[in-house]
Amino acid sequence: MSAGTIAVIDYGMGNLRSVSKALEHVAGGKTVVVTADPAVVAAAERVVFPGQGAMPDCMAELDARGLRGAVLAAAKEKPFLGICVGEQMLFEHSDEGDVPALGVFAGNVKRFPGDKMVLPSGERLKVPHMGWNTVRQQPHALWQGIADGARFYFVHSYFVVPADPALVTGSSEYGVPFTCAVGRDNIFAVQFHPEKSARDGLQLLKNFVEWHP
Amino acid sequence: MLAKRIIPCLDVTAGRVVKGTNFVGLRDAGDPIEIARRYDEQGADEVTFLDITASSDQRDIILHIVEACAEQVFIPLTVGGGVRKVEDVRRLLNAGADKVSMNTAAVQNPDLVFDASSKVGSQCIVVAIDAKQVAPGQWHVFTHGGRNDTGLDTIEWAKKVAALGAGEILLTSMDRDGTKNGFDLALTRAVSDAVSIPVIASGGVGNLQHLADGVSEGRADAVLAASIFHFGEYTVRQAKEYMAARGIEVRL
């Protein structure tokens, strides 16, 4: 496994073709590999941790494949990008299924509050939050070349609530304000799907591929 | 603010877009991937492929199109047509589709909606409903291109598929489809108000006002159109600028 490899961690939850193809599109000479092999994750230069579906299933599948250790090790030292449930799993606990998560960051994962999801016009906001929403940025290398307030594609019903506000690198609003990007040291993680977010999403992935935290 | 979505829809058979398109500068007006790329460039929020291939031995062609599309188009892709089993859903998702839409098979076997959403997640499952008015304020679900009245009430069916785990509803008015007279706004609003999942309005778009009406009066979360975009009457960008000028939140 060459030093330039970008490992996309595959723990059996959903299709990773979109993520890997989008990364390949911006990877320059680097190799993108979709893998369930802890050794490949350990040898990679940088790691992408995607996730879709329900958090309890994601945690169960991650452990069933023996990948927890590899993910935690990568999150300590390599450029690391969490996407969607891959972001949520970095926190301590999720209300979805009331499960403990990886605990890399202090904080929890909450659901959009159904009763508060009504606009002043009387229109009810649908859950899941699905579609393109604006992201207000906090300064970070991964936003380079992306306008503050640019729109990204979201599909989710839960979002992270970090205990430490300093973790927040991006926020959005859907009935309530919520955190949609977090970062610390070598880790950046987003609730939205950069691989489905057209040019700005590709720019974020390109920034990640070239990132030297 | 979350943007209302504009979704161009392509009818595909045996690997080619039917009804044709009329883009200036397109090398091959029948190539679904080239057309999808063009819509992506225009700012489409998603693209939908509807596989209308009649013969089952040509079904795999759509998989190759989806694979190629996923390598070049980085916005969400929904694929429908001929989906009968959970395995069909899986194959389309594995090829690179983000969402799979099911219609007749869901009516014949509602458990399919539950089984598929349990396995792959609600966010991947779209139930397409073809509705036709049978009395004022009452619409039935039709199948087989509007020929077969299932007797199901559209509002009740929409609530049922939402409860079974559908992540989104693609609602087509069979009365309006192809007329260019605009969406059935009463139908759209009735369904959108009845369910807590997003509703895509479809059928009848003839101009940009119709798209705006679908959102503001129909309360749709997204609007789908085919011919007004295919034949170059309007670009997706023009549609968005029109909607933005009317105070509708869009991604520009």
Side-chain angles (χ1 to χ4, degrees):
Chain A
M1 202 52 56
S2 75
T5 296
I6 303 159
V8 180
I9 299 179
D10 178 12
Y11 49 97
M13 288 300 290
N15 160 48
L16 304 178
R17 190 176 167 83
S18 298
V19 177
S20 64
K21 290 297 166 190
L23 284 163
E24 280 172 15
H25 200 77
V26 299
K30 290 177 177 154
T31 306
V32 178
V33 56
V34 175
T35 182
D37 183 347
V40 173
V41 176
E45 174 191 288
R46 49 195 76 223
V47 167
V48 176
F49 185 44
Q52 54 175 280
M55 162 87 98
D57 296 340
C58 287
M59 288 303 301
E61 293 298 323
L62 189 71
D63 282 336
R65 285 166 173 74
L67 281 162
R68 179 189 286 246
V71 170
L72 290 173
K76 280 206 178 80
E77 57 181 17
K78 298 178 200 287
F80 186 102
L81 178 65
I83 299 175
C84 196
V85 182
E87 179 211 36
Q88 298 175 5
M89 289 164 80
L90 297 176
F91 286 78
E92 289 171 300
H93 180 271
S94 178
D95 285 356
E96 186 177 19
D98 192 20
V99 289
L102 295 172
V104 173
F105 294 138
N108 297 313
V109 181
K110 302 262 180 222
R111 196 173 202 279
F112 284 111
D115 54 333
K116 295 200 182 109
M117 308 298 284
V118 182
L119 293 178
S121 65
E123 187 179 349
R124 187 153 52 117
L125 296 175
K126 308 297 179 71
V127 178
H129 172 225
M130 182 189 288
W132 299 78
N133 208 335
T134 48
V135 174
R136 174 107 4 238
Q137 303 168 2
Q138 298 297 323
H140 194 284
L142 264 60
W143 296 124
Q144 191 187 334
I146 301 169
D148 191 13
R151 290 181 185 275
F152 290 86
Y153 186 77
F154 290 81
V155 187
H156 65 123
S157 301
Y158 292 79
F159 57 89
V160 301
V161 183
D164 178 4
L167 279 182
V168 178
T169 55
S171 54
S172 189
E173 185 158 350
Y174 188 59
V176 293
F178 68 95
T179 296
C180 67
V182 294
R184 190 180 70 199
D185 303 330
N186 58 309
I187 302 175
F188 195 82
V190 292
Q191 178 61 65
F192 53 80
H193 289 271
E195 76 279 12
K196 286 290 154 188
S197 295
R199 196 175 44 203
D200 287 329
L202 292 175
Q203 181 66 44
L204 190 145
L205 293 176
K206 185 168 188 287
N207 292 343
F208 172 71
V209 167
E210 296 167 356
W211 187 32
H212 292 286
Chain B
M1 269 279 280
L2 183 65
K4 300 295 182 179
R5 290 169 280 152
I6 295 186
I7 308 174
C9 177
L10 305 175
D11 286 356
V12 179
T13 183
R16 307 286 294 170
V17 175
V18 289
K19 294 182 188 167
T21 54
N22 189 16
F23 285 129
V24 178
L26 215 58
R27 276 178 296 120
D28 177 354
D31 176 10
I33 296 150
E34 200 173 349
I35 296 167
R37 281 180 61 170
R38 180 60 60 95
Y39 284 135
D40 181 7
E41 285 165 17
Q42 289 182 4
D45 296 308
E46 298 181 19
V47 174
T48 290
F49 286 161
L50 185 60
D51 181 17
I52 57 169
T53 304
S55 91
S56 54
D57 56 352
Q58 292 184 317
R59 282 263 170 240
D60 284 352
I61 295 172
I62 193 73
L63 294 174
H64 301 306
I65 293 170
V66 172
E67 281 174 6
C69 198
E71 291 174 13
Q72 300 178 43
V73 180
F74 300 104
I75 56 175
L77 172 65
T78 301
V79 185
V83 173
R84 301 265 176 272
K85 313 182 290 285
V86 174
E87 182 53 29
D88 298 333
V89 174
R90 270 195 200 284
R91 293 202 311 161
L92 286 165
L93 294 176
N94 286 336
D98 298 285
K99 305 183 225 179
V100 172
S101 126
M102 49 182 70
N103 187 339
T104 306
V107 172
Q108 291 169 343
N109 174 23
D111 287 345
L112 176 64
V113 179
F114 178 80
D115 291 343
S117 59
S118 305
K119 295 248 164 55
V120 302
S122 286
Q123 78 283 355
C124 300
I125 302 300
V126 181
V127 173
I129 302 178
D130 291 345
K132 211 167 175 174
Q133 188 166 329
V134 291
Q138 200 187 350
W139 300 266
H140 277 185
V141 177
F142 280 67
T143 56
H144 301 89
R147 295 191 301 277
N148 179 25
D149 184 353
T150 65
L152 290 168
D153 177 74
T154 296
I155 312 296
E156 293 309 312
W157 175 238
K159 287 184 186 168
K160 182 169 177 181
V161 298
L164 286 169
E168 194 167 43
I169 288 171
L170 168 55
L171 177 67
T172 302
S173 163
M174 300 310 288
D175 299 306
R176 297 301 180 90
D177 203 26
T179 65
K180 291 186 167 278
N181 289 334
F183 296 120
D184 183 335
L185 296 172
L187 166 71
T188 305
R189 184 159 181 156
V191 173
S192 191
D193 284 351
V195 295
S196 61
I197 56 176
V199 173
I200 305 167
S202 158
V205 174
N207 59 46
L208 301 183
Q209 180 66 45
H210 292 154
L211 293 174
D213 288 345
V215 167
S216 48
E217 292 181 41
R219 288 191 174 177
D221 301 280
V223 285
L224 180 137
S227 58
I228 64 159
F229 297 134
H230 293 341
F231 295 106
E233 288 170 62
Y234 305 101
T235 63
V236 174
R237 179 158 300 281
Q238 284 174 317
K240 290 189 163 184
E241 285 167 355
Y242 183 94
M243 290 167 78
R246 275 146 194 83
I248 296 169
E249 193 83 14
V250 291
R251 176 178 73 107
L252 276 171

